[in-house]
Amino acid sequence: MRTLYFTLLFCITSIGWGQATFTSKLTEYLTVPASAASPHKWIDREIILEDDRILIKTYRTEGDTDIEIWDKIDPEVNFSRSENNLIRTFYTYLIFDNVRLESIFRFVGNAEGMIFLIERELLLPEGSKDESLITRYHVD
């Protein structure tokens, strides 16, 4: 019975999470670069999950909008479970100044499928002595 419940929940959440827009006003930096003044920022963002990419739109108070386009490396999705949360993981990349940056996005939701946290871990090249940069977007 438990297996049937998890399979049904998996199917429903995979349909519901196929394409979605999430809003975030609070961004938390778990590993902060030396130049950052604060580990938290109150800034309006939209995180848009599409079939082949993840878009992050940042709305600045000056009136301009920054858009990051993270293309998915692998269309397959990894689902995992941590305590009572479901985690959907995507491997992505972004080309910035002719350099390929890779990251892992984790969409964390509760048992009902409601996303409450999106985490992006920027992966550093192998052999790097720095910590990977982790940013969390708290979903409204």
Side-chain angles (χ1 to χ4, degrees):
M1 186 65 176
R2 193 168 195 213
T3 305
L4 178 63
Y5 171 74
F6 185 68
T7 303
L8 181 61
L9 184 63
F10 173 77
C11 290
I12 291 170
T13 56
S14 65
I15 293 168
W17 288 357
Q19 276 192 281
T21 300
F22 305 96
T23 58
S24 173
K25 295 192 183 298
L26 176 63
T27 301
E28 175 185 10
Y29 300 97
L30 295 185
T31 51
V32 181
S35 62
S38 171
H40 296 88
K41 275 191 184 176
W42 292 97
I43 190 163
D44 288 330
R45 296 186 200 272
E46 279 185 350
I47 298 96
I48 302 166
L49 175 61
E50 295 183 353
D51 291 332
D52 58 345
R53 63 186 171 193
I54 298 170
L55 299 155
I56 299 177
K57 292 183 180 180
T58 302
Y59 300 99
R60 304 221 176 265
T61 54
E62 300 85 24
D64 56 339
T65 302
D66 291 337
I67 299 175
E68 297 175 23
I69 301 172
W70 293 87
D71 292 303
K72 293 180 184 174
I73 293 173
D74 187 359
E76 292 295 317
V77 179
N78 296 318
F79 276 93
S80 60
R81 213 173 155 80
S82 172
E83 297 176 10
N84 291 330
N85 298 326
L86 292 174
I87 302 171
R88 189 174 184 194
T89 304
F90 299 95
Y91 294 91
T92 64
Y93 71 93
L94 167 84
I95 303 296
F96 180 74
D97 282 343
N98 294 323
V99 175
R100 179 179 164 129
L101 303 172
E102 294 187 0
S103 71
I104 298 173
F105 275 85
R106 295 177 188 93
F107 287 71
V108 182
N110 59 21
E112 289 80 39
M114 297 294 296
I115 301 295
F116 59 87
L117 182 71
I118 299 170
E119 181 178 276
R120 181 189 67 204
E121 180 178 355
L122 189 62
L123 302 175
L124 299 176
E126 222 171 288
S128 176
K129 295 179 182 176
D130 295 327
E131 291 183 74
S132 57
L133 301 174
I134 299 174
T135 305
R136 286 186 173 166
Y137 306 103
H138 295 265
V139 176
D140 296 337

